Amino acid sequence: MGDKGTFWLPESASTVSGDVDSLFYLVTWISVVIFVLVVAAMVYFMMRYRRHHAGQVGAPAHESKWFEMSTVVVSTILVLIVFTWGFRVYLKLNIAPPGAYEIQVTASQWKWDYTYPDGTVYAGDLHVPADKPVRLVMNSIDVLHSFFVPQFRVKQDVLPNRYSSVWFEATRADTFDVYCTEYCGNQHSGMLGQVIAHPQEEFEEWLASAGGGGLSPEEYGERLFGQNNCNTCHSIDGTRLVGPTMQGLFGSQRQLVSGESVEADENYLLSSIVAPAAQVVEGYPPAMPPSYGSLPQDQLDALVAYIKSVQ
Amino acid sequence: MSVATATPQATSGKTTYLNHDKSIRSWLLTLDHKRIGLLYLSTIVVVFLAAGILALLVRIELLAPGRTIVDAQTYNQFFSLHGILMVFLVIVPSVPAILGNFIMPLHIGAIDVAFPRLNLASYYIFMVGGVLVVIAMVVGQIDTGWTFYTPYSSRLGAPVIFMTLAVFIAGFSSILTGMNFIVTIHKMRAPGLTWNRLPLFVWSIYATSIVQVLATPVIGITMLLLLLEKTLGIGIFDPAMGGDPILFQHFFWFYSHPAVYIMILPAFGIISELMGVFSRQEVMGYKFVALSSVAIAFLGFLVWGHHMFVSGQSTVSSVVFSLITYLIGIPTGVKVINWVGTMYKGSVSLKTPMLYALSFLFLFTIGGLTGVMLGVLGVDVHLHDTYFVVAHFHYVMMGGTIVALIGGLYYWWPKITGKLYNETLGRIGCLLVFVGFNTTFFTQFVLGSQGMPRRYYDYAEKYADLHALSTYGSWILAVGLFVALYTFIQSLMRGAPAPANPWGGASLEWTHTTSPPSPHNFEEQPIVTHGPYDYHHFYAGDGQSVEAELASRSEA
Ligand SMILES: [Cu+2]
Ligand SMILES: [Cu+2]
């Protein structure tokens, strides 16, 4: 990683982040100057005109209309400069260059899914080509979320009832953070991911293997278990998190809140993932999101195969 | 000249609003604006303590990454309740309901507000709202944040219904108080008290009341729609039923941005008073300060969209909202200059209230400038919904409104209670609050611009140091606030009796009535012959006696 960022801003790694940063520093410095002037005047007056005996009254001070007028005029000019600049950067942030590589993003509680032009669905991390504009067309299947990559200086809310979009062009092949910045419930702060920018050929190779080709179902399932954030609620070593551990689950007897007891076979595992509310395990809140029902069948198969293997 | 001869009367043995009837009933059913102000004060202090403790718990949880004391669900409830209590039950009502009630009628030389019964009713409506909040808390699981964004909030059950109902009902109290004050200020000013002689505190309460009356119905309607959606299943905001979540955001901010001015304008009023009295100087640009409050009150209705730059609203609307936001920034900035300029050639006394006023100028300037940064479209995209925003609004709401409120309480304390407080303790408290506040919240600007999102239970290791620092700051801040509380309690128990005009103020509450005032405020109808900051005039008449009086007051 080249540049490590500054005191104020994280490293800058997209074609627009430089513009945002210059603007940020311009406004910061104007603010610092104004602030220092105000505080200096305050401290100076405070000492210079300190009251010395109880009955002392201020001397008549005549207001200067010019002074007030000039502060208004100067601040208006400053404000218009900053506004215009801010507006231009905003347009740049909003209008994707033609021919950008398009990826569909589906946000749900609490994960990101990415669908590539060739139909590959990949959860968790966003792989993109570096040095190429990428446009994300985003949609949520439940509540509001927001897609934020600090190193790119881009952010966009993701809505359930309409598409929103955001674009960026990574200036180098590296790994960057993805945060959800619109509060979306319990695991909001766990709705993280990474943008992994690859050089073009590497990206193509990655895309070719992304569908789990070449992996055994268990290996693919293990990867999906991490990508879909199952591991934020389920451990594989017996620890109790939000949900029950997966260790030794397959084949055991499950006590449900409905009172019945069932054996955890393949069908039970599958239905627990696609329709978690139907069979809730005793002693746990019905906190598992229903959104996994939309996973493709091959991914569900792989997950079940993986859970079976966790003993 | 009538004013100067109004030498303060001795207080001992006199009937005051505090001692004329001491029964509980006389307090709970009082129609006296002063007592109602104190009812609000005690209620709001309790809520403030509760919300403050929640804030401390939130900060302790964030002391280190991962789980520190509670799980994610509990943490989410903590910050939501902290926000809801602070915004709807503390900051929005605080200054108008406490000091507006107590001081405004005294300021204008009236015997009470125009509708005393309505005033009492407002208090009880406020209490009903408060009780509903408590019920919602007990029923459980409010984790929507104070913004109640749909569709997340539409998916939760009963507690959200209670909470929205509470906000809806507390809103009525706000509307009624606003109406009451507008009528009072129009109709009940003492003879000679022209609009140009109105203390700036009254001007700001007037502007606030206008916003309260015009904006609060919108949050009422919004909460009602939310209720209808939840109870009858009509799709308004929830896309699952064909509604539109952005519509909720428009409604919500159409109220909540003006509400920002409900929260800050009264604080401006307090600061104008403090800067005038403790500089013994005419407040610079009186007309400008007065009228800009009213202008800000109206412009405040046109900028709600600046909360939604990345929400998916159209680019054109974002641009327009950004521009108008700046237009409000300018008069606000000029006000700060006027306050600082008031000290010019003044006679500056650094008593506790003035220290709070100066802290306000320092903190509010930071809050205001960072507000302008957030209004810059290209920059806001990066900063939106990060800790930068959290820091910004704490600088404005806490560093602005709450600091001004505490300053105002110190300033009017001798009038309200008839007791002096311990000046040294007061100053120590202020210093701790100032240091603690900056440590807590300045770090959050850096966290935010570094990309730390708000409302996060857990966070990356790289943010750990700043988060820890912010938590330590919150402890200093808490100690400062407790020192302030202790100062007040100590003064109540053991404070020396206060003279009628301990600061040498020139407005009616100081010159024309005792500390504490009699049940009917003034012995006789005051007649106003000069402006509220006309210290020269005031001292010219009978400077001697005031000086003697000032010297004789026990050094506190
Ligand atoms: Cu989220
Ligand atoms: Cu706003």
Side-chain angles (χ1 to χ4, degrees):
Chain A
M1 279 198 205
D3 143 41
K4 272 278 154 216
T6 62
F7 176 74
W8 284 108
L9 292 169
E11 57 183 312
S12 145
S14 78
T15 48
V16 289
S17 54
D19 290 334
V20 174
D21 293 5
S22 320
L23 183 58
F24 176 89
Y25 284 117
L26 174 80
V27 202
T28 307
W29 281 113
I30 296 180
S31 302
V32 168
V33 171
I34 296 178
F35 177 70
V36 168
L37 286 177
V38 168
V39 172
M42 191 168 101
V43 172
Y44 174 73
F45 289 163
M46 202 166 95
M47 316 233 276
R48 171 73 179 73
Y49 300 110
R50 205 44 203 281
R51 185 177 303 169
H52 295 297
H53 54 92
Q56 193 181 342
V57 185
H62 291 286
E63 274 172 38
S64 143
K65 284 266 163 330
W66 285 111
F67 177 72
E68 256 174 36
M69 283 303 286
S70 55
T71 50
V72 172
V73 170
V74 170
S75 48
T76 311
I77 293 174
L78 279 179
V79 149
L80 287 179
I81 295 175
V82 170
F83 168 76
T84 325
W85 192 344
F87 173 51
R88 286 173 48 187
V89 173
Y90 185 66
L91 283 188
K92 201 163 166 183
L93 283 168
N94 265 282
I95 299 172
Y101 184 75
E102 260 187 32
I103 301 172
Q104 295 282 331
V105 179
T106 311
S108 57
Q109 286 170 324
W110 292 276
K111 66 189 178 75
W112 301 101
D113 289 314
Y114 304 101
T115 309
Y116 288 82
D118 68 356
T120 310
V121 179
Y122 196 80
D125 295 332
L126 170 62
H127 292 257
V128 297
D131 297 314
K132 193 169 173 191
V134 174
R135 178 164 182 262
L136 305 182
V137 179
M138 305 187 289
N139 190 243
S140 161
I141 58 172
D142 41 47
V143 300
L144 303 177
H145 302 277
S146 189
F147 181 88
F148 177 36
V149 183
Q151 288 98 334
F152 295 167
R153 318 283 190 261
V154 297
K155 181 181 291 128
Q156 176 62 50
D157 284 6
V158 185
L159 311 167
N161 60 333
R162 62 178 82 161
Y163 292 108
S164 56
S165 76
V166 66
W167 80 274
F168 55 80
E169 177 176 340
T171 48
R172 63 171 188 279
D174 203 341
T175 306
F176 311 99
D177 304 319
V178 175
Y179 293 134
C180 172
T181 47
E182 187 65 78
Y183 178 68
C184 55
N186 196 304
Q187 299 292 317
H188 169 55
S189 68
M191 191 164 161
L192 311 172
Q194 287 183 321
V195 180
I196 301 168
H198 303 274
Q200 184 67 35
E201 302 88 81
E202 195 183 303
F203 173 72
E204 274 155 21
E205 279 164 31
W206 170 83
L207 190 57
S209 69
L215 296 179
S216 71
E218 286 81 11
E219 285 167 338
Y220 186 35
E222 180 173 10
R223 196 173 87 190
L224 291 168
F225 197 76
Q227 285 173 354
N228 285 294
N229 284 346
C230 311
N231 55 2
T232 57
C233 298
H234 297 291
S235 76
I236 50 166
D237 60 1
T239 324
R240 183 190 165 120
L241 302 176
V242 179
T245 182
M246 295 286 116
Q247 192 181 38
L249 171 60
F250 181 66
S252 66
Q253 281 293 321
R254 308 304 296 158
Q255 188 62 43
L256 304 181
V257 283
S258 59
E260 34 173 345
S261 160
V262 294
E263 194 198 322
D265 56 10
E266 284 93 343
N267 284 323
Y268 171 78
L269 294 183
L270 182 63
S271 75
S272 291
I273 301 173
V274 296
Q279 291 175 308
V280 177
V281 188
E282 174 126 308
Y284 289 90
M288 178 151 160
S291 51
Y292 298 112
S294 62
L295 288 176
Q297 191 58 45
D298 62 321
Q299 299 197 2
L300 291 169
D301 296 343
L303 279 168
V304 171
Y306 171 63
I307 295 171
K308 277 168 69 180
S309 73
V310 183
Q311 286 306 326
Chain B
M1 204 224 33
S2 68
V3 176
T5 50
T7 20
Q9 306 91 324
T11 36
S12 54
K14 274 199 77 87
T15 336
T16 69
Y17 82 100
L18 289 172
N19 67 13
H20 75 104
D21 184 348
K22 290 188 165 167
S23 64
I24 303 264
R25 193 189 141 83
S26 76
W27 274 94
L28 294 182
L29 296 179
T30 182
L31 299 181
D32 181 345
H33 67 100
K34 302 185 285 304
R35 286 187 166 202
I36 293 176
L38 293 191
L39 289 180
Y40 275 114
L41 175 65
S42 42
T43 316
I44 288 174
V45 165
V46 171
V47 182
F48 181 75
L49 278 174
I53 289 169
L54 286 168
L56 286 174
L57 291 173
V58 164
R59 279 308 332 158
I60 293 173
E61 174 51 48
L62 294 172
L63 183 58
R67 182 190 164 114
T68 316
I69 48 169
V70 292
D71 60 22
Q73 182 64 32
T74 317
Y75 169 83
N76 293 342
Q77 290 174 30
F78 281 174
F79 80 69
S80 301
L81 289 175
H82 164 72
I84 294 168
L85 291 178
M86 281 294 189
V87 171
F88 294 108
L89 296 184
V90 177
I91 301 182
V92 166
S94 64
V95 182
I98 301 169
L99 293 175
N101 255 316
F102 198 103
I103 300 299
M104 186 272 287
L106 291 172
H107 255 165
I108 64 171
I111 60 165
D112 208 314
V113 293
F115 308 113
R117 274 168 217 284
L118 191 63
N119 202 15
L120 182 65
S122 309
Y123 173 73
Y124 282 105
I125 295 174
F126 174 74
M127 286 302 281
V128 173
V131 168
L132 279 174
V133 171
V134 175
I135 294 181
M137 284 168 64
V138 175
V139 178
Q141 313 226 332
I142 301 277
D143 65 343
T144 57
W146 76 278
T147 45
F148 302 109
Y149 268 19
T150 53
Y152 186 70
S153 63
S154 354
R155 314 247 156 133
L156 293 177
V160 173
I161 296 190
F162 281 114
M163 201 53 104
T164 45
L165 208 60
V167 171
F168 180 71
I169 289 174
F172 274 101
S173 152
S174 207
I175 298 173
L176 296 178
T177 306
M179 276 173 18
N180 211 339
F181 285 180
I182 293 176
V183 176
T184 309
I185 296 170
H186 269 278
K187 290 290 173 200
M188 299 183 64
R189 293 180 324 242
L193 187 57
T194 57
W195 288 94
N196 285 331
R197 287 177 180 166
L198 221 48
L200 287 165
F201 180 70
V202 179
W203 267 109
S204 73
I205 290 289
Y206 181 70
T208 310
S209 302
I210 295 177
V211 187
Q212 277 176 322
V213 170
L214 294 182
T216 320
V218 180
I219 189 101
I221 293 164
T222 314
M223 294 298 159
L224 202 62
L225 290 176
L226 204 56
L227 270 175
L228 290 181
E229 173 166 83
K230 291 183 62 59
T231 48
L232 303 181
I234 307 171
I236 302 168
F237 305 125
D238 188 348
M241 298 188 264
D244 183 1
I246 300 267
L247 180 66
F248 178 83
Q249 296 181 25
H250 278 293
F251 273 146
F252 182 82
W253 290 113
F254 188 85
Y255 164 74
S256 292
H257 191 83
V260 168
Y261 296 102
I262 300 181
M263 303 186 234
I264 197 68
L265 282 174
F268 287 176
I270 296 177
I271 297 304
S272 303
E273 297 301 312
L274 297 183
M275 293 311 293
V277 168
F278 291 92
S279 310
R280 293 247 175 94
Q281 182 67 286
E282 196 86 35
V283 175
M284 182 176 163
Y286 171 90
K287 274 223 174 86
F288 180 89
V289 175
L291 293 177
S292 65
S293 293
V294 182
I296 290 174
F298 283 106
L299 278 176
F301 281 99
L302 304 176
V303 298
W304 77 91
H306 65 204
H307 298 267
M308 301 166 58
F309 289 159
V310 302
S311 71
Q313 78 181 354
S314 82
T315 313
V316 181
S317 2
S318 291
V319 170
V320 174
F321 285 125
S322 170
L323 192 60
I324 307 178
T325 303
Y326 287 123
L327 294 184
I328 295 200
I330 296 171
T332 313
V334 177
K335 273 189 189 221
V336 171
I337 294 176
N338 282 326
W339 288 320
V340 174
T342 302
M343 288 192 283
Y344 178 63
K345 291 197 179 169
S347 155
V348 179
S349 150
L350 298 181
K351 298 280 191 226
T352 309
M354 183 62 161
L355 290 183
Y356 276 99
L358 296 173
S359 306
F360 171 96
L361 291 183
F362 185 99
L363 302 174
F364 182 74
T365 306
I366 297 182
L369 288 168
T370 50
V372 173
M373 287 180 77
L374 287 168
V376 180
L377 289 164
V379 176
D380 181 60
V381 171
H382 178 64
L383 298 176
H384 181 77
D385 270 340
T386 66
Y387 265 74
F388 197 91
V389 176
V390 177
H392 157 70
F393 69 73
H394 279 91
Y395 265 84
V396 180
M397 306 282 81
M398 168 99 202
T401 308
I402 298 290
V403 162
L405 173 67
I406 300 176
L409 279 176
Y410 273 110
Y411 172 57
W412 280 299
W413 189 257
K415 182 57 58 183
I416 296 174
T417 62
K419 302 274 180 69
L420 294 172
Y421 60 85
N422 183 321
E423 194 65 54
T424 318
L425 267 183
R427 285 176 177 160
I428 293 175
C430 180
L431 189 76
L432 287 171
V433 167
F434 183 79
V435 172
F437 181 86
N438 282 300
T439 319
T440 312
F441 293 107
F442 198 83
T443 41
Q444 299 187 1
F445 281 122
V446 186
L447 276 174
S449 65
Q450 286 289 355
M452 169 79 207
R454 69 193 282 200
R455 297 175 171 175
Y456 261 33
Y457 166 69
D458 192 6
Y459 52 83
E461 197 57 49
K462 62 183 165 195
Y463 302 119
D465 293 345
L466 286 171
H467 265 302
L469 188 58
S470 175
T471 301
Y472 301 143
S474 71
W475 298 341
I476 307 179
L477 177 57
V479 172
L481 290 171
F482 275 109
V483 171
L485 184 65
Y486 175 77
T487 319
F488 288 132
I489 293 174
Q490 190 207 39
S491 155
L492 276 185
M493 320 271 272
R494 295 203 296 276
N501 190 357
W503 315 117
S507 42
L508 295 177
E509 85 276 30
W510 302 115
T511 57
H512 278 67
T513 182
T514 49
S515 301
S518 72
H520 297 293
N521 293 352
F522 303 96
E523 296 303 315
E524 54 193 61
Q525 174 65 62
I527 302 194
V528 181
T529 54
H530 61 77
Y533 310 108
D534 202 350
Y535 306 101
H536 306 98
H537 198 140
F538 176 44
Y539 283 93
D542 191 14
Q544 239 29 51
S545 70
V546 177
E547 200 152 310
E549 133 89 23
L550 285 168
S552 73
R553 94 170 205 271
S554 54
E555 171 53 31

